[in-house]
Amino acid sequence: LRHVIVGNSAAGISAIEAIREYDKNSEVVIISDEAYQAYSRVFLPKYIAGEARFNDILMRGYTFYNDIGAKALLGQTVTEVIPKNNQVCLLSGEKISYDNLLIATGASPFLPKIPGIDKQGVKGFRTFEDACQIANFMKETDSIVIIGGGLVSLKAAEALSKGGVDVTVVVSSGNILSQRLDSVGASIIQKSMESKGIKLFLNCDVKVIKGYRSVQGVELTFGKSIECGIVIVAKGLRPNIGLVANTGMEIITGIKADCYQRTNIPNIFAAGDVAECYDLIEEKESLNQMWPNAVVQGRVAGANMAGGHVKSDGGIALNSGSFFGINIASVGKTKTKGNSYREVTTVSEDGNYRKIVIHEGRIVGTLLVGDISGIGMLHSLICQKKEVADFLTFLEMGQISFGHVLASLIGR
Ligand SMILES: Cc1cc2nc3c(=O)[nH]c(=O)nc-3n(C[C@H](O)[C@H](O)[C@H](O)COP(=O)(O)OP(=O)(O)OC[C@H]3O[C@@H](n4cnc5c(N)ncnc54)[C@H](O)[C@@H]3O)c2cc1C
């Protein structure tokens, strides 16, 4: 048998390791258009901040592929999948046959149609190559504009501000991290961000990116101009699905995959940021483009490619990390519409914010800003869909009784 994996990152590497747990002998080929050994994108901000070298962000050691018995074709782009021949085509013209194929091609930054977006110095922030180019541009400018207010935007802002440059973040919505945070939680981070010298413009967009060939500045929708030498565009992601166009593969926004990570085409699997899978809380397919989801999906896909019968319970939206010195953790549904949801929120005297979202007697989401202790238990309660009627009163008073939570988790 030959297992072919396209994409050498969180999902792809997890898949190889799972394949080898079930199948020591089959051929495994992993292909990536990036010419590097697998690394963690999560740590790219540390690289541009000068706090990590490439070696520090590698996912596995240099002998990984050899040790695990996989052939790595790095720096090779897959242009097309031909299911009827069980083959993938490389840009070089070479065709590689597979018995099982995993599409783990991740996602790429979405570049909106802003006039001037094609100028030199405008960058998405996704790859090691992007990080190197941003680090190089930084040597020639003392001002950077970041478009977008999501996780990647904020991580870039924090990293770049450490290099002593002026950083301005332009956000279309009314608060940062608007997909995950409400205005109360976001304002805590926004204050810290601004106290560190980062300029933040909410409720506006970049109207035009100015300059001749290279970026010289931007004009915002309300008329303000900002001089800058780099524009980082972090306005969301688009799954990398070009290689499966014309295959008849079912696409939502990403590739639709079932709880075994199978696509609608026999012997083709999909995992990670490219895949749209069942979401435990939304109870429908959803894109949950985060590292832990990619790892779990890659493991499930790998096991099933190698003859296992491993089922995923479904993904969940989650986010945790530290932004400008403030911890945040969010799991599941953190923003709701309609009367059927109850949101229990508290802000402590020392500024910690906590929100718990309850729906039909169960916790379906939580958002913690500042003190994130207890997130592990809340995560378990959400994923296990435990009834919380027993300790609803505590929750409504803004307290979480860990005794009750534990009892609920162990079923007493
Ligand atoms: C700056 C930054 C910070 C982040 N921070 C966090 C964080 O704190 N927490 C978190 O959970 N997540 C974070 N993420 C998101 C996380 O990195 C992704 O969810 C994760 O990398 C997804 O893994 P993946 O294997 O699905 O795809 P990817 O990591 O995108 O890898 C896919 C690979 O496939 C390759 N590929 C694509 N198309 C082809 C083709 N046609 N032929 C050959 N190869 C191809 C790509 O070049 C890439 O190497 C961050 C991302 C970035 C960019």
Side-chain angles (χ1 to χ4, degrees):
L1 278 185
R2 182 188 283 158
H3 305 290
V4 172
I5 299 169
V6 190
N8 174 41
S9 183
I13 294 293
S14 307
I16 300 187
E17 290 176 339
I19 288 172
R20 281 293 176 246
E21 280 172 28
Y22 287 76
D23 173 356
K24 303 273 182 261
N25 302 317
S26 291
E27 230 184 300
V28 177
V29 180
I30 186 160
I31 309 169
S32 175
D33 55 7
E34 291 191 83
Y36 311 99
Q37 172 99 14
Y39 61 89
S40 173
R41 299 180 201 290
V42 174
F43 296 111
L44 287 176
K46 287 204 175 296
Y47 179 83
I48 53 172
E51 292 170 353
R53 297 157 305 159
F54 185 63
N55 274 355
D56 302 324
I57 68 171
L58 287 177
M59 281 177 70
R60 301 288 183 269
Y62 275 105
T63 57
F64 170 75
Y65 303 101
N66 206 23
D67 295 347
I68 204 153
K71 183 174 175 189
L73 302 178
L74 305 181
Q76 306 267 11
T77 304
V78 173
T79 52
E80 198 185 350
V81 176
I82 311 174
K84 68 174 182 346
N85 301 343
N86 287 339
Q87 280 181 326
V88 298
C89 306
L90 302 185
L91 191 58
S92 62
E94 191 186 341
K95 289 190 170 65
I96 296 174
S97 301
Y98 59 79
D99 294 291
N100 289 305
L101 175 66
L102 172 63
I103 311 288
T105 46
S108 296
F110 166 65
L111 298 180
K113 288 191 179 116
I114 302 170
I117 193 109
D118 51 352
K119 293 198 191 307
Q120 208 184 333
V122 181
K123 289 282 333 146
F125 183 25
R126 180 74 184 176
T127 62
F128 179 60
E129 197 75 34
D130 294 335
C132 293
Q133 287 183 18
I134 291 168
N136 270 338
F137 285 136
M138 283 226 336
K139 292 179 193 148
E140 286 161 26
T141 187
D142 51 14
S143 174
I144 292 166
V145 168
I146 302 175
I147 308 178
L151 173 123
V152 169
S153 157
L154 297 195
K155 288 199 159 199
E158 188 167 23
L160 292 166
S161 66
K162 289 179 185 163
V165 286
D166 272 352
V167 179
T168 304
V169 178
V170 181
V171 183
S172 314
S173 43
N175 62 261
I176 56 162
L177 293 169
S178 61
Q179 308 279 329
R180 302 296 302 148
L181 260 59
D182 57 19
S183 57
V184 181
S187 70
I188 298 171
I189 297 169
Q190 285 164 199
K191 269 190 212 126
S192 172
M193 203 172 155
E194 286 171 325
S195 76
K196 299 208 160 41
I198 291 161
K199 293 182 202 81
L200 181 62
F201 291 97
L202 299 172
N203 296 309
C204 73
D205 283 306
V206 167
K207 191 161 84 184
V208 55
I209 299 172
K210 299 192 286 189
Y212 178 54
R213 282 207 185 91
S214 304
V215 174
Q216 285 174 345
V218 299
E219 187 184 326
L220 305 187
T221 35
F222 66 91
K224 183 179 173 61
S225 287
I226 302 165
E227 277 183 29
C228 64
I230 310 179
V231 173
I232 296 179
V233 185
K235 291 283 283 179
L237 296 169
R238 294 292 177 273
N240 293 324
I241 53 175
L243 73 170
V244 296
N246 312 318
T247 56
M249 189 172 284
E250 201 174 335
I251 305 289
I252 308 173
T253 306
I255 298 172
K256 185 175 172 188
D258 69 9
C259 51
Y260 301 94
Q261 301 305 138
R262 293 179 304 216
T263 69
N264 62 316
I265 301 182
N267 69 342
I268 306 189
F269 296 73
D273 282 8
V274 75
E276 197 147 354
C277 307
Y278 182 78
D279 180 297
L280 210 55
I281 300 300
E282 298 298 334
E283 297 184 337
K284 60 176 178 141
E285 279 78 18
S286 175
L287 281 172
N288 281 321
Q289 295 170 312
M290 298 298 286
W291 189 272
N293 282 320
V295 168
V296 171
Q297 292 172 10
R299 288 195 60 75
V300 171
N304 293 325
M305 288 164 81
H309 193 70
V310 178
K311 191 177 171 200
S312 147
D313 294 335
I316 190 163
L318 52 87
N319 204 329
S320 80
S322 168
F323 295 93
F324 309 96
I326 296 176
N327 291 326
I328 68 161
S330 73
V331 180
K333 217 181 217 347
T334 51
K335 297 176 82 179
T336 61
K337 278 193 199 123
N339 299 335
S340 61
Y341 291 94
R342 200 142 25 123
E343 296 188 354
V344 181
T345 58
T346 48
V347 184
S348 71
E349 274 174 18
D350 43 359
N352 297 310
Y353 179 60
R354 171 168 289 217
K355 178 195 235 179
I356 291 172
V357 181
I358 299 159
H359 181 59
E360 293 176 350
R362 295 180 169 84
I363 304 180
V364 292
T366 187
L367 167 61
L368 308 180
V369 180
D371 176 8
I372 61 165
S373 57
I375 189 66
M377 279 197 207
L378 285 164
H379 180 264
S380 301
L381 279 178
I382 295 168
C383 291
Q384 293 181 24
K385 300 193 170 186
K386 290 281 181 189
E387 292 250 8
V388 292
D390 284 355
F391 51 94
L392 209 55
T393 329
F394 291 98
L395 288 174
E396 282 174 344
M397 289 186 322
Q399 298 167 2
I400 298 177
S401 155
F402 289 113
H404 283 95
V405 175
L406 256 183
S408 168
L409 279 174
I410 58 177
R412 265 190 256 133

